[in-house]
Amino acid sequence: MNFKTKISRAKTFIVENILHTPERELTGLWRNLRKLVSVIRITAKHFLDDELQLRASALTYNTMLAIVPILAILIAIAGGFGFEKIIESQILESFPAQRDALSTAFQFVDNYLKFSQSGIVIGIGVVFLLWTVISLLSNIEMTMNKIWQAKERSLYHKINDYTSLFIILPILMILSSGTSVLITTFLKDAEEMFGFITPLIYKLLELSPYFFTIVFFTVAYLLIPNTKVKFKYAFIAGILCGIAFQLFQYLYLNGQIWVSKYNAIYGSFAFLPLLLLWMQLSWLIFLFGVLLSFSMQTADYGNEDNVKSISSQYYKFILLIISCVIVQRFEKGLPPLTLQNISSSYNIPIRIAKTVINKLIDSGIIIETLNEDERVPSYQPAFDISKMSVGMLLSRVDADGTGEKNFRINRNEKYKLQWDTITNAYNTMYNAMDNILIKDVEIEQINK
C-alpha cells in the first residue's frame, strides 16, 4: 500500500467513518478528533446554508441607517452626566480604523442634538430615530436566533432589554475610561518604585483592546440569542473572533495606503466605500462567532449529517420516542426536559429533535413551558395523557393542517378512488393503534 492510498483511507475514516461511529465507542484523542471534525463540518455547512454573507450585508445596511441615531442616544445619555466627550473618545479608541467616518458622524450628531433642543426635530424625526435603533438591534437578535434556531423574544422583553442596554453601555464606557486613566496615573507615580514592572504593564495595556473585544463578543454570544448558550463555547468563539476582529482592524489601518486610488475616484467621499467594506467584514466576523458557538454546542448533541434526507418511518420513530419521553416524565412527576436535554439524553441530533418538537406543538400534542431560566423552554403534554394514543398521535401529525393539499389533481371526483384508498389505509392504521397509549410504551432512561 503506497503512501497516497494510506492518506486517502485516513481521510475517509476521519471525514466519514469517525462521524458515524458512536461516541461511546471512542476514547481520548479519537473522541476529541470526532468532535473537531463535526464542528468543522457543521460550521462549513451552515455558513453556506444560512447565507451568512447575505445576513452580514443586511446588518451593514441597518448599521448605516442607525449609526447616527445610536451615537445620538449614547451621547445624549452621557451628556446628562457631563461625560459626552469621554464617550466620544472611547468610541474613537474602540474603532481606530473609522476615525474619519466617526468624526463625520459626530458632526451629524451635534447638529441633530442642537435641533432637538431647539424643538425643530420633533414627531416624525423622533419616531425615525427610535425605529432605526430598534430595527438594528432587533435584526441582530433575529439573525442570531435564526442561526441558533431559537424563537424571538416578546416585544416586552425586547423593549426592556434594549432600554437597559442603552442605559448601561455609556456607564460601562465611562468606567472603562476612568479605569484606564487611573492605571496610567498610578504607573506614572509609581514608575520610580516599580520601574522594572512598568514597561510590562504598559505592554499589557496595549493589549487591552483585545481583552475588551473578547469580553464584548463573549457576552453578546452568551446573552443575545434567545436560548441557553454554554459559557465555554461563547468564550472560545469570543476569543477567536475577538482576536480576528482586532487583527482585521490592524490590517485595515495599515492597508489603506494601498487603496489610495479611491481618493482619486471618490475624492472626499473615499471613506464611504471603505466604511461599507469594513462593516461588511466586521459583521461577517461577528456572525461567524455566533455560528462557531452554535456548532460547538450542537456537536455535543449528535451528528447532523443527512438530517434533511431522514426517512418517513424513522421520522415517526423519533416522533414517538420524544412523545413517550414527555408524556411519561409528566406521569411520573419528573421535571420537564428542554430541547438540549432530550437531544443529549436520547442521542437524537438536535435539528431532528427541534423539527419533531415543533411538529408536536403545531399538532396540539405538547406545549411549551418556561423553567427557571425563562429563555429556555421545556415541554409538557397539552391535554389528558389517558387520551393520548399512538393512533391519535400519528393522525394529528399527518393532518395538522400545515401541509398543502389543494393542488389541481381532482381528488374529489376523477381520482376519488385513489384518495379514498390511501385515506382508508391511514385510518385503518390509526384505528389499530388507538388502544395503545403513549404513556404505556416503555422507554429507557425515563427516570433520569
Side-chain angles (χ1 to χ4, degrees):
M1 185 185 300
N2 58 33
F3 180 74
K4 188 175 181 180
T5 304
K6 290 181 180 179
I7 292 294
S8 178
R9 289 191 176 183
K11 180 181 177 182
T12 300
F13 173 76
I14 292 174
V15 175
E16 296 179 10
N17 296 349
I18 196 172
L19 289 176
H20 295 91
T21 303
E23 190 173 346
R24 61 181 177 274
E25 296 180 12
L26 300 172
T27 56
L29 178 63
W30 289 110
R31 178 175 292 183
N32 293 330
L33 181 60
R34 180 185 189 275
K35 183 166 183 179
L36 176 62
V37 173
S38 182
V39 167
I40 293 172
R41 294 197 69 176
I42 292 172
T43 303
K45 181 176 182 296
H46 283 277
F47 186 89
L48 299 174
D49 291 351
D50 293 346
E51 299 179 323
L52 230 62
Q53 294 190 52
L54 185 61
R55 298 186 188 280
S57 298
L59 289 175
T60 298
Y61 169 76
N62 287 127
T63 306
M64 285 296 293
L65 280 180
I67 187 168
V68 172
I70 286 177
L71 292 176
I73 292 175
L74 291 175
I75 291 175
I77 293 174
F81 300 96
F83 296 121
E84 62 271 19
K85 294 299 180 183
I86 293 177
I87 294 295
E88 288 185 17
S89 63
Q90 281 291 96
I91 293 173
L92 290 171
E93 288 176 11
S94 299
F95 304 102
Q98 296 302 329
R99 283 186 172 273
D100 292 340
L102 287 171
S103 297
T104 303
F106 283 133
Q107 292 176 11
F108 292 144
V109 169
D110 289 339
N111 293 335
Y112 186 90
L113 293 177
K114 287 177 183 177
F115 286 141
S116 297
Q117 291 170 1
S118 63
I120 296 175
V121 180
I122 56 175
I124 296 176
V126 174
V127 171
F128 177 76
L129 181 146
L130 294 175
W131 176 81
T132 51
V133 172
I134 292 173
S135 175
L136 173 63
L137 296 175
S138 182
N139 283 329
I140 294 171
E141 180 186 343
M142 181 179 65
T143 301
M144 296 178 75
N145 283 334
K146 282 185 177 179
I147 293 173
W148 275 97
Q149 300 162 19
K151 290 189 174 182
E152 296 296 309
R153 283 183 177 88
S154 66
L155 181 61
Y156 168 77
H157 281 100
K158 283 186 178 183
I159 294 173
N160 187 44
D161 293 343
Y162 298 166
T163 303
S164 302
L165 173 66
F166 276 103
I167 293 175
I168 293 173
L169 189 57
I171 296 174
L172 292 177
M173 294 174 74
I174 292 167
L175 290 176
S176 172
S177 176
T179 303
S180 300
V181 171
L182 185 64
I183 292 174
T184 304
T185 304
F186 172 78
L187 289 175
K188 288 180 179 179
D189 294 339
E191 192 167 359
E192 293 183 2
M193 187 179 299
F194 304 103
F196 63 97
I197 299 178
T198 304
L200 176 62
I201 297 178
Y202 275 121
K203 288 291 183 184
L204 291 176
L205 284 176
E206 290 178 4
L207 296 176
S208 60
Y210 287 84
F211 171 76
F212 287 117
T213 304
I214 289 170
V215 170
F216 174 79
F217 277 34
T218 301
V219 172
Y221 297 153
L222 195 64
L223 299 182
I224 295 179
N226 191 26
T227 188
K228 187 174 183 179
V229 181
K230 292 184 178 179
F231 174 78
K232 63 179 179 179
Y233 298 138
F235 185 55
I236 292 171
I239 291 174
L240 295 176
C241 293
I243 292 174
F245 176 76
Q246 286 297 329
L247 291 176
F248 166 63
Q249 287 219 103
Y250 175 80
L251 293 174
Y252 180 91
L253 278 168
N254 289 274
Q256 286 196 37
I257 58 174
W258 302 105
V259 292
S260 57
K261 61 182 180 181
Y262 278 103
N263 292 328
I265 299 172
Y266 294 102
S268 60
F269 289 96
F271 74 89
L272 187 57
L274 297 176
L275 172 63
L276 291 172
L277 176 64
W278 179 83
M279 281 188 179
Q280 170 85 10
L281 294 176
S282 296
W283 277 121
L284 197 58
I285 292 171
F286 178 82
L287 293 180
F288 183 81
V290 181
L291 178 56
L292 186 61
S293 60
F294 166 79
S295 300
M296 288 186 289
Q297 186 160 313
T298 300
D300 284 344
Y301 304 127
N303 181 27
E304 281 200 339
D305 285 354
N306 302 321
V307 168
K308 291 183 178 179
S309 60
I310 183 173
S311 70
S312 176
Q313 181 182 10
Y314 199 83
Y315 176 81
K316 288 180 178 176
F317 167 64
I318 300 297
L319 197 80
L320 183 58
I321 287 179
I322 292 179
S323 300
C324 289
V325 169
I326 293 171
V327 168
Q328 292 175 27
R329 288 186 69 86
F330 179 81
E331 184 185 32
K332 295 176 182 289
L334 297 173
L337 296 179
T338 64
L339 170 65
Q340 286 80 5
N341 295 148
I342 293 171
S343 177
S344 58
S345 298
Y346 298 91
N347 297 318
I348 302 172
I350 197 164
R351 269 204 154 181
I352 297 179
K354 179 66 174 175
T355 302
V356 167
I357 285 173
N358 287 340
K359 176 67 74 172
L360 290 172
I361 292 173
D362 293 338
S363 304
I365 303 295
I366 64 173
I367 57 172
E368 282 187 352
T369 59
L370 295 178
N371 55 19
E372 294 178 358
D373 185 349
E374 291 189 359
R375 297 191 304 154
V376 184
S378 50
Y379 305 96
Q380 289 190 345
F383 56 93
D384 188 354
I385 61 174
S386 63
K387 297 178 181 179
M388 286 190 181
S389 67
V390 176
M392 184 218 64
L393 168 68
L394 298 178
S395 175
R396 284 203 177 195
V397 167
D398 287 336
D400 68 351
T402 58
E404 181 59 55
K405 299 175 183 176
N406 295 318
F407 295 100
R408 291 185 177 182
I409 298 176
N410 189 344
R411 59 188 170 90
N412 294 321
E413 296 178 6
K414 188 175 182 179
Y415 299 105
K416 187 176 187 304
L417 177 61
Q418 288 80 3
W419 177 256
D420 289 345
T421 300
I422 195 70
T423 301
N424 291 334
Y426 271 105
N427 288 337
T428 301
M429 178 183 67
Y430 300 147
N431 293 335
M433 292 183 285
D434 265 345
N435 59 342
I436 304 175
L437 296 179
I438 295 175
K439 66 185 183 69
D440 297 330
V441 181
E442 294 185 5
I443 189 168
E444 294 181 357
Q445 298 183 345
I446 206 65
N447 293 315
K448 293 186 179 180

